[in-house]
Every structure is written in C-alpha cells, then in structure tokens.
C-alpha cells in the first residue's frame, strides 16, 4: 500500500465514507429483499412493494415522423454510460454518445459497432462541466438533425456523466467541478434540450443517474464550510441534488399534466465496477471492490446498467419513480428527497445560475 492510500485510510473522512456508503447500499438491498416478506407477514405495518415496470420497445405508427428514436447519453465513453449506449442501440435507438474526449468517443463508437455492426451510434463532444460546451453541443445536435433530415426532436436524454473528484477544482463557469459535472451540468443540459424533448411526436424521457449515496446527504448542506475538501460528502450532495431536480422536473412536466410528452425518472445502479473511483489510490480501489465483491454488493457495468435501461424503457406512468435493482423494480429514495419545497428552492437557484451562465457566454461570443 502506498503512502497516499495509507494517509487516506487514517482519515475520518475515509471511514465515514466506507461505513455510510456500505450501510446505504445494504439498506437498499434489504429493502428489495425484505419488503415483500414483511408486507406479507405484517400487512398492517408494511405496504407491499410496487409492481415492477416492464420494458417497452419503441414501435412507431405508420404516420410517425420518428422512425428511430434519438437518445443522448452523457459520459458514454466508460462504465455505465458505455453499457447504456450499447444496450439502447440494441433496443433500436439512434444513440448519440456525448463525452469530452474525442479519442475516447471514437474508441467507444468503434467498440459498439464491432459488437453490433448495425448499431446506429454517433459521437458528440460535450464537456458537461462547461456551459459553453453545452451550448455548442445544442447547436451541433440541431445541425446534425437537420443535415440528417431527421425530425427536430430528441426522445431520450440520459444524464449519466459523473465524477468522484478527490480534490477541489473550479470550472470555467466558476463552480466546484464535481457539483457542476454531477448535478449543475445535467440541470443546464436538460433545460437547454427541453424544447427538443417537448417537440417529440412520441413520448420522450429524461433519465437522471443518481446514487444510493444520496441517502447520506442531509438538507442543511454545509459541505463547503470545512477547510478540507470533503469529497465524499460533496459527491453525496451532488447525487442528492440530482434526485431533488428529477422529482421537481417530474412535478413540473408530468405530475401537473399527465398528457405531457416528457416523463422523468431517476435511476440508481447500485455499486458498479467502473472507473468512477479513478482519482482514489489504486490499492484503495482494489480493496473497495474486494470487500464489496465479498459482500455480493459489486456488479459489472452490464448488470448495473439494468436500472438505467428499466427507467429508459418503462411506461410514462413510471415518471417520478426511483429505479433500483433492475427487473423493473422501483424503491423509495431517502425521505428528505421528497421534500417538494426544498426541490423548488434548488430549482429556482439552479435556474438563476443557468440564466447567468447563458448570458455570460452570449455576451462573450458578442465580444469575439
Ligand atoms: N460506479 C458506481 O458504483 C456508481 C454508483 C452509483 C451511481 N453512479 C453514477 O453513474 C454515472 C456513471 O459513472 P461510472 O460509474 O460509469 O463512472 P466512469 O466509468 O468513470 O464513467 C464516467 C463517464 O462520465 C464522463 N465524464 C466525466 N466528466 C465529464 C465531463 N465533464 N463531461 C462529459 N463527460 C464526463 C467520463 O468521461 P471521461 O472518461 O472523459 O472522464 C466517463 O465517460 C455517474 O453519474 C456516477 O455518479 C456510479
């Protein structure tokens, strides 16, 4: 074990993360396993689990202007994003892989095509932690739809890109990088693509990838008040915000108008062996995979992606649900994540930041 790993293992933050995150995972797993039994045994105390949602395949009518639904997957060059892109291409989607590295994008497209030569996949450069890049992505996407003579709409947006940053870094927009990548960027992109999603002649969908770690976050956030960069707490908080955002968007789009074309789901893949912990010392990463593997809590990306694909393909009535555990299953997220007032406050604050960033980019481009 190297010096960095040893230092980290001596910190309170490491043990807090190890214990809290494992407990959050165990809680979700027990919920899935025990609820059917408990609701049977004590029907007055426990409600039965909701019935699972089955996956539906896209089948356009004769007159439908969309022949192949368009799906945008952010962070599609690795782990869950790549697995989701591959699975959705196999489901008949025209998948747009959106990520920041052109080399990694070409490699991911090549790999998917090698696996399935008939897959419809395109690469788009997008840095979700940059408003400028998001606005450029929107322009490129609209241009591509026009050039390809496709209907000017998007049917599915998977907000998957995410990082677990070990140290504090500030983006060009002036935000903490982990917060902008995991939450704010997804909020900005969704709002910018919303007109294309609403323009869909068939039901469209937003899937936000969140995490069991949201259970460790509290509503009174003081994650930046400490001198140290509390990376685990900031990650939890970013995933908690993603969840509040999902429920608020669901309320605005779907709950208020069930005839709405856009539905919104949250998906939690559980613990998956991907590159998410790339900034942590390799020996600690190995140790985490070993311990969670031993506890049967570790999954491959192909299995972990199940809840994301369930959320993408479930019927629109599942809008506002939290998909976990694959097989179409949904569970309850943390009680505080259903706080509608808190979600609204976060929405208003994030929306203000969106407008500020947008106008700054527009003013800068006028100066160029
Ligand atoms: N793995 C788990 O156990 C787990 C559990 C719960 C939730 N999740 C969530 O699942 C999502 C996918 O993570 P993963 O586990 O598959 O990790 P991963 O293998 O590290 O993949 C993350 C993807 O996001 C991309 N990305 C990072 N920053 C970006 C940016 N600024 N702009 C555009 N793309 C960016 C990465 O691209 P680069 O290669 O260019 O960095 C990569 O393609 C994340 O939101 C994560 O929080 C993961």
């Amino acid at each position: 074990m190297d010096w960095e790993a040893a230092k980290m293992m001596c910190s309170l933050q490491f043990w807090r993360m190890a214990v809290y995150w494992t407990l959050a995972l165990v809680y979700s797993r027990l919920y899935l396993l025990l609820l059917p039994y408990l609701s049977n045994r004590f029907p007055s105390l426990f409600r039965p689990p909701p019935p699972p949602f089955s996956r539906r395949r896209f089948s356009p009518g004769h007159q439908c202007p969309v022949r192949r639904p368009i799906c945008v997957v952010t962070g599609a060059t690795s782990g869950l994003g790549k697995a989701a892109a591959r699975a959705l291409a196999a489901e008949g989607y025209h998948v747009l892989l959106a990520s920041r590295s052109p080399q990694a994008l070409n490699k991911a497209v090549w790999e998917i095509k090698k696996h399935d030569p008939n897959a419809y996949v395109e690469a788009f450069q997008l840095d979700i932690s940059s408003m400028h890049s998001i606005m450029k992505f929107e322009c490129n996407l609209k241009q591509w739809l026009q050039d390809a003579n496709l209907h000017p709409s998007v049917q599915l947006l998977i907000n998957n890109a995410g990082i677990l940053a070990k140290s504090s870094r500030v983006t060009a927009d002036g935000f903490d990088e982990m917060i902008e990548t995991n939450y704010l960027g997804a909020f900005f992109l969704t709002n910018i693509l919303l007109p294309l999603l609403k323009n869909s002649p068939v039901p469209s969908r937003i899937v936000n990838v969140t995490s069991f770690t949201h259970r460790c976050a509290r509503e009174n956030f003081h994650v930046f008040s400490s001198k140290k960069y509390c990376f685990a707490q900031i990650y939890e908080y970013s995933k908690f915000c993603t969840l509040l955002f999902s429920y608020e968007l669901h309320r605005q789009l779907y709950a208020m108008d069930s005839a709405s074309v856009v539905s919104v789901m949250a998906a939690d893949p559980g613990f998956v062996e991907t590159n998410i912990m790339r900034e942590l010392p390799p020996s600690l990463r190995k140790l985490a995979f070993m311990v969670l593997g031993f506890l049967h809590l570790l999954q491959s990306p192909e299995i972990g992606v199940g809840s994301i694909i369930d959320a993408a393909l479930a019927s629109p009535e599942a809008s506002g649900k939290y998909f976990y555990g694959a097989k179409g299953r949904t569970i309850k997220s943390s009680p505080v994540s259903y706080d509608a007032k808190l979600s609204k406050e976060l929405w208003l604050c994030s929306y203000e930041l969106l407008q500020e960033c947008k106008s700054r980019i527009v003013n800068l481009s006028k100066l160029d």
Side-chain angles (χ1 to χ4, degrees), residues 75-80 99-100 126-129 160-163 181 209-211 235 239 269-272 274-276 278:
T77 51
S78 169
L80 289 157
S99 226
R100 54 188 169 176
L126 167 70
D127 179 352
I128 199 79
S129 67
N160 164 79
I163 56 169
T181 306
V209 178
T210 175
S211 161
Y235 180 82
K239 291 294 163 184
F271 193 76
V272 186
T274 65
N275 289 323
I276 193 78
R278 67 182 90 176

PDB file of all heavy atoms in Angstrom, residues 75-80 99-100 126-129 160-163 181 209-211 235 239 269-272 274-276 278, ligand 1:
ATOM      1  N   GLY A  75     -21.471  11.095 -20.851  1.00  0.00           N
ATOM      2  CA  GLY A  75     -20.482  10.225 -20.193  1.00  0.00           C
ATOM      3  C   GLY A  75     -20.547   8.818 -20.731  1.00  0.00           C
ATOM      4  O   GLY A  75     -20.516   7.843 -19.966  1.00  0.00           O
ATOM      5  N   ALA A  76     -20.623   8.714 -22.089  1.00  0.00           N
ATOM      6  CA  ALA A  76     -20.856   7.395 -22.695  1.00  0.00           C
ATOM      7  C   ALA A  76     -19.566   6.682 -23.091  1.00  0.00           C
ATOM      8  O   ALA A  76     -19.616   5.698 -23.807  1.00  0.00           O
ATOM      9  CB  ALA A  76     -21.760   7.550 -23.921  1.00  0.00           C
ATOM     10  N   THR A  77     -18.414   7.181 -22.624  1.00  0.00           N
ATOM     11  CA  THR A  77     -17.149   6.564 -23.052  1.00  0.00           C
ATOM     12  C   THR A  77     -16.630   5.537 -22.053  1.00  0.00           C
ATOM     13  O   THR A  77     -15.579   4.950 -22.282  1.00  0.00           O
ATOM     14  CB  THR A  77     -16.081   7.651 -23.263  1.00  0.00           C
ATOM     15  OG1 THR A  77     -16.035   8.470 -22.087  1.00  0.00           O
ATOM     16  CG2 THR A  77     -16.391   8.494 -24.473  1.00  0.00           C
ATOM     17  N   SER A  78     -17.318   5.355 -20.954  1.00  0.00           N
ATOM     18  CA  SER A  78     -16.796   4.442 -19.928  1.00  0.00           C
ATOM     19  C   SER A  78     -17.957   3.888 -19.091  1.00  0.00           C
ATOM     20  O   SER A  78     -19.069   4.430 -19.128  1.00  0.00           O
ATOM     21  CB  SER A  78     -15.828   5.255 -19.050  1.00  0.00           C
ATOM     22  OG  SER A  78     -15.472   4.548 -17.902  1.00  0.00           O
ATOM     23  N   GLY A  79     -17.670   2.817 -18.378  1.00  0.00           N
ATOM     24  CA  GLY A  79     -18.591   2.283 -17.357  1.00  0.00           C
ATOM     25  C   GLY A  79     -20.050   2.176 -17.766  1.00  0.00           C
ATOM     26  O   GLY A  79     -20.396   1.600 -18.794  1.00  0.00           O
ATOM     27  N   LEU A  80     -20.898   2.791 -16.923  1.00  0.00           N
ATOM     28  CA  LEU A  80     -22.348   2.656 -17.095  1.00  0.00           C
ATOM     29  C   LEU A  80     -22.854   3.353 -18.354  1.00  0.00           C
ATOM     30  O   LEU A  80     -23.779   2.864 -19.006  1.00  0.00           O
ATOM     31  CB  LEU A  80     -23.047   3.241 -15.862  1.00  0.00           C
ATOM     32  CG  LEU A  80     -22.874   2.390 -14.602  1.00  0.00           C
ATOM     33  CD1 LEU A  80     -23.074   3.214 -13.344  1.00  0.00           C
ATOM     34  CD2 LEU A  80     -23.850   1.215 -14.631  1.00  0.00           C
ATOM     35  N   SER A  99     -19.462  12.952 -24.799  1.00  0.00           N
ATOM     36  CA  SER A  99     -18.417  12.945 -23.781  1.00  0.00           C
ATOM     37  C   SER A  99     -17.327  13.927 -24.160  1.00  0.00           C
ATOM     38  O   SER A  99     -17.341  14.466 -25.256  1.00  0.00           O
ATOM     39  CB  SER A  99     -17.856  11.534 -23.641  1.00  0.00           C
ATOM     40  OG  SER A  99     -17.760  11.193 -22.274  1.00  0.00           O
ATOM     41  N   ARG A 100     -16.333  14.112 -23.246  1.00  0.00           N
ATOM     42  CA  ARG A 100     -15.399  15.214 -23.503  1.00  0.00           C
ATOM     43  C   ARG A 100     -14.181  14.847 -24.344  1.00  0.00           C
ATOM     44  O   ARG A 100     -13.593  15.713 -24.980  1.00  0.00           O
ATOM     45  CB  ARG A 100     -14.954  15.848 -22.190  1.00  0.00           C
ATOM     46  CG  ARG A 100     -14.386  14.853 -21.209  1.00  0.00           C
ATOM     47  CD  ARG A 100     -14.145  15.479 -19.871  1.00  0.00           C
ATOM     48  NE  ARG A 100     -13.855  14.438 -18.910  1.00  0.00           N
ATOM     49  CZ  ARG A 100     -13.531  14.644 -17.669  1.00  0.00           C
ATOM     50  NH1 ARG A 100     -13.466  15.884 -17.217  1.00  0.00           N
ATOM     51  NH2 ARG A 100     -13.290  13.658 -16.848  1.00  0.00           N
ATOM     52  N   LEU A 126     -18.790  16.790 -25.742  1.00  0.00           N
ATOM     53  CA  LEU A 126     -19.521  17.574 -24.732  1.00  0.00           C
ATOM     54  C   LEU A 126     -18.774  17.516 -23.411  1.00  0.00           C
ATOM     55  O   LEU A 126     -18.517  16.430 -22.886  1.00  0.00           O
ATOM     56  CB  LEU A 126     -20.937  16.996 -24.542  1.00  0.00           C
ATOM     57  CG  LEU A 126     -21.708  17.494 -23.316  1.00  0.00           C
ATOM     58  CD1 LEU A 126     -22.131  18.958 -23.470  1.00  0.00           C
ATOM     59  CD2 LEU A 126     -22.953  16.647 -23.070  1.00  0.00           C
ATOM     60  N   ASP A 127     -18.459  18.702 -22.888  1.00  0.00           N
ATOM     61  CA  ASP A 127     -17.923  18.767 -21.527  1.00  0.00           C
ATOM     62  C   ASP A 127     -19.069  19.307 -20.663  1.00  0.00           C
ATOM     63  O   ASP A 127     -19.425  20.480 -20.751  1.00  0.00           O
ATOM     64  CB  ASP A 127     -16.700  19.701 -21.474  1.00  0.00           C
ATOM     65  CG  ASP A 127     -16.132  19.798 -20.074  1.00  0.00           C
ATOM     66  OD1 ASP A 127     -16.768  19.277 -19.134  1.00  0.00           O
ATOM     67  OD2 ASP A 127     -15.061  20.407 -19.916  1.00  0.00           O
ATOM     68  N   ILE A 128     -19.631  18.421 -19.874  1.00  0.00           N
ATOM     69  CA  ILE A 128     -20.832  18.777 -19.111  1.00  0.00           C
ATOM     70  C   ILE A 128     -20.520  19.812 -18.010  1.00  0.00           C
ATOM     71  O   ILE A 128     -21.419  20.445 -17.475  1.00  0.00           O
ATOM     72  CB  ILE A 128     -21.499  17.487 -18.543  1.00  0.00           C
ATOM     73  CG1 ILE A 128     -22.953  17.711 -18.161  1.00  0.00           C
ATOM     74  CG2 ILE A 128     -20.743  16.910 -17.373  1.00  0.00           C
ATOM     75  CD1 ILE A 128     -23.912  17.717 -19.253  1.00  0.00           C
ATOM     76  N   SER A 129     -19.228  19.991 -17.722  1.00  0.00           N
ATOM     77  CA  SER A 129     -18.878  20.974 -16.686  1.00  0.00           C
ATOM     78  C   SER A 129     -18.573  22.347 -17.301  1.00  0.00           C
ATOM     79  O   SER A 129     -17.930  23.172 -16.668  1.00  0.00           O
ATOM     80  CB  SER A 129     -17.680  20.482 -15.878  1.00  0.00           C
ATOM     81  OG  SER A 129     -16.534  20.445 -16.700  1.00  0.00           O
ATOM     82  N   ASN A 160     -25.919  10.908 -17.411  1.00  0.00           N
ATOM     83  CA  ASN A 160     -25.126   9.884 -16.720  1.00  0.00           C
ATOM     84  C   ASN A 160     -23.744  10.373 -16.290  1.00  0.00           C
ATOM     85  O   ASN A 160     -23.213   9.911 -15.276  1.00  0.00           O
ATOM     86  CB  ASN A 160     -24.994   8.668 -17.663  1.00  0.00           C
ATOM     87  CG  ASN A 160     -23.891   7.726 -17.244  1.00  0.00           C
ATOM     88  OD1 ASN A 160     -24.048   6.924 -16.326  1.00  0.00           O
ATOM     89  ND2 ASN A 160     -22.727   7.835 -17.909  1.00  0.00           N
ATOM     90  N   ALA A 161     -23.145  11.321 -17.038  1.00  0.00           N
ATOM     91  CA  ALA A 161     -21.750  11.722 -16.765  1.00  0.00           C
ATOM     92  C   ALA A 161     -21.572  12.064 -15.290  1.00  0.00           C
ATOM     93  O   ALA A 161     -22.427  12.737 -14.688  1.00  0.00           O
ATOM     94  CB  ALA A 161     -21.368  12.913 -17.632  1.00  0.00           C
ATOM     95  N   GLY A 162     -20.477  11.620 -14.727  1.00  0.00           N
ATOM     96  CA  GLY A 162     -20.244  11.917 -13.316  1.00  0.00           C
ATOM     97  C   GLY A 162     -18.808  11.650 -12.921  1.00  0.00           C
ATOM     98  O   GLY A 162     -18.102  10.892 -13.588  1.00  0.00           O
ATOM     99  N   ILE A 163     -18.373  12.301 -11.850  1.00  0.00           N
ATOM    100  CA  ILE A 163     -17.015  12.074 -11.328  1.00  0.00           C
ATOM    101  C   ILE A 163     -17.062  11.997  -9.803  1.00  0.00           C
ATOM    102  O   ILE A 163     -18.002  12.499  -9.165  1.00  0.00           O
ATOM    103  CB  ILE A 163     -16.022  13.205 -11.741  1.00  0.00           C
ATOM    104  CG1 ILE A 163     -16.534  14.588 -11.301  1.00  0.00           C
ATOM    105  CG2 ILE A 163     -15.731  13.180 -13.220  1.00  0.00           C
ATOM    106  CD1 ILE A 163     -15.486  15.694 -11.444  1.00  0.00           C
ATOM    107  N   THR A 181     -20.276  18.884 -12.749  1.00  0.00           N
ATOM    108  CA  THR A 181     -20.328  17.668 -13.584  1.00  0.00           C
ATOM    109  C   THR A 181     -21.526  16.796 -13.185  1.00  0.00           C
ATOM    110  O   THR A 181     -22.277  16.336 -14.041  1.00  0.00           O
ATOM    111  CB  THR A 181     -19.022  16.846 -13.420  1.00  0.00           C
ATOM    112  OG1 THR A 181     -17.930  17.704 -13.698  1.00  0.00           O
ATOM    113  CG2 THR A 181     -18.995  15.668 -14.366  1.00  0.00           C
ATOM    114  N   VAL A 209     -29.140   9.783 -13.672  1.00  0.00           N
ATOM    115  CA  VAL A 209     -28.449   8.727 -12.929  1.00  0.00           C
ATOM    116  C   VAL A 209     -28.001   9.288 -11.577  1.00  0.00           C
ATOM    117  O   VAL A 209     -27.213  10.224 -11.496  1.00  0.00           O
ATOM    118  CB  VAL A 209     -27.242   8.177 -13.730  1.00  0.00           C
ATOM    119  CG1 VAL A 209     -26.514   7.102 -12.915  1.00  0.00           C
ATOM    120  CG2 VAL A 209     -27.705   7.613 -15.066  1.00  0.00           C
ATOM    121  N   THR A 210     -28.542   8.714 -10.533  1.00  0.00           N
ATOM    122  CA  THR A 210     -28.205   9.168  -9.191  1.00  0.00           C
ATOM    123  C   THR A 210     -27.517   8.011  -8.454  1.00  0.00           C
ATOM    124  O   THR A 210     -26.979   7.119  -9.089  1.00  0.00           O
ATOM    125  CB  THR A 210     -29.458   9.727  -8.475  1.00  0.00           C
ATOM    126  OG1 THR A 210     -29.103  10.051  -7.145  1.00  0.00           O
ATOM    127  CG2 THR A 210     -30.618   8.761  -8.476  1.00  0.00           C
ATOM    128  N   SER A 211     -27.508   8.053  -7.151  1.00  0.00           N
ATOM    129  CA  SER A 211     -26.752   7.024  -6.432  1.00  0.00           C
ATOM    130  C   SER A 211     -27.346   6.779  -5.042  1.00  0.00           C
ATOM    131  O   SER A 211     -27.918   7.691  -4.421  1.00  0.00           O
ATOM    132  CB  SER A 211     -25.311   7.507  -6.294  1.00  0.00           C
ATOM    133  OG  SER A 211     -24.653   6.812  -5.277  1.00  0.00           O
ATOM    134  N   TYR A 235     -19.888  14.533  -3.122  1.00  0.00           N
ATOM    135  CA  TYR A 235     -20.454  13.569  -4.088  1.00  0.00           C
ATOM    136  C   TYR A 235     -21.896  13.212  -3.683  1.00  0.00           C
ATOM    137  O   TYR A 235     -22.815  13.248  -4.494  1.00  0.00           O
ATOM    138  CB  TYR A 235     -19.581  12.312  -4.149  1.00  0.00           C
ATOM    139  CG  TYR A 235     -20.094  11.277  -5.121  1.00  0.00           C
ATOM    140  CD1 TYR A 235     -19.818  11.373  -6.478  1.00  0.00           C
ATOM    141  CD2 TYR A 235     -20.877  10.209  -4.684  1.00  0.00           C
ATOM    142  CE1 TYR A 235     -20.310  10.426  -7.380  1.00  0.00           C
ATOM    143  CE2 TYR A 235     -21.368   9.260  -5.573  1.00  0.00           C
ATOM    144  CZ  TYR A 235     -21.079   9.377  -6.910  1.00  0.00           C
ATOM    145  OH  TYR A 235     -21.570   8.443  -7.806  1.00  0.00           O
ATOM    146  N   LYS A 239     -25.444  14.001  -5.791  1.00  0.00           N
ATOM    147  CA  LYS A 239     -26.415  12.983  -6.194  1.00  0.00           C
ATOM    148  C   LYS A 239     -27.785  13.250  -5.564  1.00  0.00           C
ATOM    149  O   LYS A 239     -28.822  12.950  -6.146  1.00  0.00           O
ATOM    150  CB  LYS A 239     -25.890  11.587  -5.809  1.00  0.00           C
ATOM    151  CG  LYS A 239     -24.685  11.176  -6.636  1.00  0.00           C
ATOM    152  CD  LYS A 239     -25.094  10.999  -8.085  1.00  0.00           C
ATOM    153  CE  LYS A 239     -23.972  10.992  -9.063  1.00  0.00           C
ATOM    154  NZ  LYS A 239     -24.401  10.923 -10.464  1.00  0.00           N
ATOM    155  N   PRO A 269     -27.847   2.739 -10.050  1.00  0.00           N
ATOM    156  CA  PRO A 269     -27.309   1.439 -10.486  1.00  0.00           C
ATOM    157  C   PRO A 269     -26.796   0.553  -9.361  1.00  0.00           C
ATOM    158  O   PRO A 269     -26.405  -0.583  -9.617  1.00  0.00           O
ATOM    159  CB  PRO A 269     -26.173   1.845 -11.423  1.00  0.00           C
ATOM    160  CG  PRO A 269     -25.780   3.222 -11.009  1.00  0.00           C
ATOM    161  CD  PRO A 269     -26.954   3.862 -10.348  1.00  0.00           C
ATOM    162  N   GLY A 270     -26.708   1.059  -8.132  1.00  0.00           N
ATOM    163  CA  GLY A 270     -26.064   0.289  -7.061  1.00  0.00           C
ATOM    164  C   GLY A 270     -24.567   0.498  -7.145  1.00  0.00           C
ATOM    165  O   GLY A 270     -24.112   1.512  -7.693  1.00  0.00           O
ATOM    166  N   PHE A 271     -23.770  -0.426  -6.629  1.00  0.00           N
ATOM    167  CA  PHE A 271     -22.306  -0.264  -6.690  1.00  0.00           C
ATOM    168  C   PHE A 271     -21.767  -1.070  -7.873  1.00  0.00           C
ATOM    169  O   PHE A 271     -22.006  -2.266  -7.974  1.00  0.00           O
ATOM    170  CB  PHE A 271     -21.654  -0.721  -5.383  1.00  0.00           C
ATOM    171  CG  PHE A 271     -20.214  -0.292  -5.294  1.00  0.00           C
ATOM    172  CD1 PHE A 271     -19.892   1.018  -5.008  1.00  0.00           C
ATOM    173  CD2 PHE A 271     -19.182  -1.183  -5.549  1.00  0.00           C
ATOM    174  CE1 PHE A 271     -18.570   1.446  -4.945  1.00  0.00           C
ATOM    175  CE2 PHE A 271     -17.854  -0.766  -5.488  1.00  0.00           C
ATOM    176  CZ  PHE A 271     -17.551   0.544  -5.194  1.00  0.00           C
ATOM    177  N   VAL A 272     -21.056  -0.374  -8.764  1.00  0.00           N
ATOM    178  CA  VAL A 272     -20.645  -0.986 -10.028  1.00  0.00           C
ATOM    179  C   VAL A 272     -19.147  -0.810 -10.235  1.00  0.00           C
ATOM    180  O   VAL A 272     -18.593   0.257  -9.945  1.00  0.00           O
ATOM    181  CB  VAL A 272     -21.427  -0.335 -11.207  1.00  0.00           C
ATOM    182  CG1 VAL A 272     -21.121  -1.071 -12.505  1.00  0.00           C
ATOM    183  CG2 VAL A 272     -22.923  -0.338 -10.935  1.00  0.00           C
ATOM    184  N   THR A 274     -16.556   0.301 -12.129  1.00  0.00           N
ATOM    185  CA  THR A 274     -16.279   1.192 -13.264  1.00  0.00           C
ATOM    186  C   THR A 274     -15.047   2.030 -12.906  1.00  0.00           C
ATOM    187  O   THR A 274     -14.364   1.755 -11.925  1.00  0.00           O
ATOM    188  CB  THR A 274     -17.469   2.142 -13.499  1.00  0.00           C
ATOM    189  OG1 THR A 274     -17.581   3.002 -12.359  1.00  0.00           O
ATOM    190  CG2 THR A 274     -18.774   1.412 -13.722  1.00  0.00           C
ATOM    191  N   ASN A 275     -14.846   3.113 -13.672  1.00  0.00           N
ATOM    192  CA  ASN A 275     -13.692   3.989 -13.414  1.00  0.00           C
ATOM    193  C   ASN A 275     -14.044   5.155 -12.484  1.00  0.00           C
ATOM    194  O   ASN A 275     -13.269   6.099 -12.376  1.00  0.00           O
ATOM    195  CB  ASN A 275     -13.168   4.553 -14.734  1.00  0.00           C
ATOM    196  CG  ASN A 275     -12.500   3.488 -15.548  1.00  0.00           C
ATOM    197  OD1 ASN A 275     -11.825   2.616 -14.995  1.00  0.00           O
ATOM    198  ND2 ASN A 275     -12.687   3.527 -16.857  1.00  0.00           N
ATOM    199  N   ILE A 276     -15.194   5.114 -11.848  1.00  0.00           N
ATOM    200  CA  ILE A 276     -15.658   6.270 -11.062  1.00  0.00           C
ATOM    201  C   ILE A 276     -14.665   6.637  -9.945  1.00  0.00           C
ATOM    202  O   ILE A 276     -14.532   7.804  -9.586  1.00  0.00           O
ATOM    203  CB  ILE A 276     -17.089   6.035 -10.498  1.00  0.00           C
ATOM    204  CG1 ILE A 276     -17.705   7.343  -9.955  1.00  0.00           C
ATOM    205  CG2 ILE A 276     -17.143   4.968  -9.444  1.00  0.00           C
ATOM    206  CD1 ILE A 276     -18.222   8.271 -10.968  1.00  0.00           C
ATOM    207  N   ARG A 278     -11.471   6.564 -10.087  1.00  0.00           N
ATOM    208  CA  ARG A 278     -10.126   6.651 -10.699  1.00  0.00           C
ATOM    209  C   ARG A 278      -9.182   7.598  -9.966  1.00  0.00           C
ATOM    210  O   ARG A 278      -7.981   7.469 -10.049  1.00  0.00           O
ATOM    211  CB  ARG A 278     -10.236   7.046 -12.176  1.00  0.00           C
ATOM    212  CG  ARG A 278     -10.742   8.452 -12.419  1.00  0.00           C
ATOM    213  CD  ARG A 278     -10.865   8.736 -13.892  1.00  0.00           C
ATOM    214  NE  ARG A 278     -12.195   8.390 -14.400  1.00  0.00           N
ATOM    215  CZ  ARG A 278     -12.598   8.603 -15.629  1.00  0.00           C
ATOM    216  NH1 ARG A 278     -11.792   9.107 -16.504  1.00  0.00           N
ATOM    217  NH2 ARG A 278     -13.829   8.309 -16.003  1.00  0.00           N
TER     218      ARG A 278
HETATM  219  N1  LIG B   1     -19.955   3.098 -10.398  1.00  0.00           N
HETATM  220  C1  LIG B   1     -20.821   3.128  -9.404  1.00  0.00           C
HETATM  221  O1  LIG B   1     -20.758   2.341  -8.455  1.00  0.00           O
HETATM  222  C2  LIG B   1     -21.930   4.147  -9.414  1.00  0.00           C
HETATM  223  C3  LIG B   1     -22.924   4.050  -8.429  1.00  0.00           C
HETATM  224  C4  LIG B   1     -23.962   4.970  -8.421  1.00  0.00           C
HETATM  225  C5  LIG B   1     -24.002   5.953  -9.383  1.00  0.00           C
HETATM  226  N2  LIG B   1     -23.024   6.047 -10.318  1.00  0.00           N
HETATM  227  C6  LIG B   1     -23.101   7.123 -11.301  1.00  0.00           C
HETATM  228  O2  LIG B   1     -23.082   6.569 -12.597  1.00  0.00           O
HETATM  229  C7  LIG B   1     -22.592   7.553 -13.514  1.00  0.00           C
HETATM  230  C8  LIG B   1     -21.557   6.918 -14.429  1.00  0.00           C
HETATM  231  O3  LIG B   1     -20.403   6.633 -13.673  1.00  0.00           O
HETATM  232  P1  LIG B   1     -19.497   5.349 -13.912  1.00  0.00           P
HETATM  233  O4  LIG B   1     -19.538   4.587 -12.656  1.00  0.00           O
HETATM  234  O5  LIG B   1     -19.843   4.676 -15.169  1.00  0.00           O
HETATM  235  O6  LIG B   1     -18.058   6.044 -13.973  1.00  0.00           O
HETATM  236  P2  LIG B   1     -16.968   6.157 -15.129  1.00  0.00           P
HETATM  237  O7  LIG B   1     -16.633   4.801 -15.629  1.00  0.00           O
HETATM  238  O8  LIG B   1     -15.881   6.973 -14.564  1.00  0.00           O
HETATM  239  O9  LIG B   1     -17.718   6.970 -16.274  1.00  0.00           O
HETATM  240  C9  LIG B   1     -17.998   8.337 -16.162  1.00  0.00           C
HETATM  241  C10 LIG B   1     -18.240   8.917 -17.533  1.00  0.00           C
HETATM  242  O10 LIG B   1     -18.532  10.316 -17.363  1.00  0.00           O
HETATM  243  C11 LIG B   1     -17.682  11.040 -18.241  1.00  0.00           C
HETATM  244  N3  LIG B   1     -17.415  12.395 -17.769  1.00  0.00           N
HETATM  245  C12 LIG B   1     -16.772  12.788 -16.660  1.00  0.00           C
HETATM  246  N4  LIG B   1     -16.696  14.105 -16.613  1.00  0.00           N
HETATM  247  C13 LIG B   1     -17.284  14.578 -17.733  1.00  0.00           C
HETATM  248  C14 LIG B   1     -17.495  15.867 -18.262  1.00  0.00           C
HETATM  249  N5  LIG B   1     -17.085  16.963 -17.634  1.00  0.00           N
HETATM  250  N6  LIG B   1     -18.159  15.982 -19.437  1.00  0.00           N
HETATM  251  C15 LIG B   1     -18.577  14.886 -20.091  1.00  0.00           C
HETATM  252  N7  LIG B   1     -18.396  13.636 -19.655  1.00  0.00           N
HETATM  253  C16 LIG B   1     -17.742  13.483 -18.488  1.00  0.00           C
HETATM  254  C17 LIG B   1     -16.413  10.226 -18.307  1.00  0.00           C
HETATM  255  O11 LIG B   1     -15.654  10.622 -19.436  1.00  0.00           O
HETATM  256  P3  LIG B   1     -14.057  10.751 -19.319  1.00  0.00           P
HETATM  257  O12 LIG B   1     -13.548   9.355 -19.486  1.00  0.00           O
HETATM  258  O13 LIG B   1     -13.704  11.693 -20.417  1.00  0.00           O
HETATM  259  O14 LIG B   1     -13.732  11.315 -17.974  1.00  0.00           O
HETATM  260  C18 LIG B   1     -16.993   8.824 -18.426  1.00  0.00           C
HETATM  261  O15 LIG B   1     -17.406   8.550 -19.738  1.00  0.00           O
HETATM  262  C19 LIG B   1     -22.073   8.699 -12.670  1.00  0.00           C
HETATM  263  O16 LIG B   1     -23.027   9.738 -12.653  1.00  0.00           O
HETATM  264  C20 LIG B   1     -21.931   8.088 -11.291  1.00  0.00           C
HETATM  265  O17 LIG B   1     -22.045   9.051 -10.281  1.00  0.00           O
HETATM  266  C21 LIG B   1     -21.976   5.169 -10.354  1.00  0.00           C
END
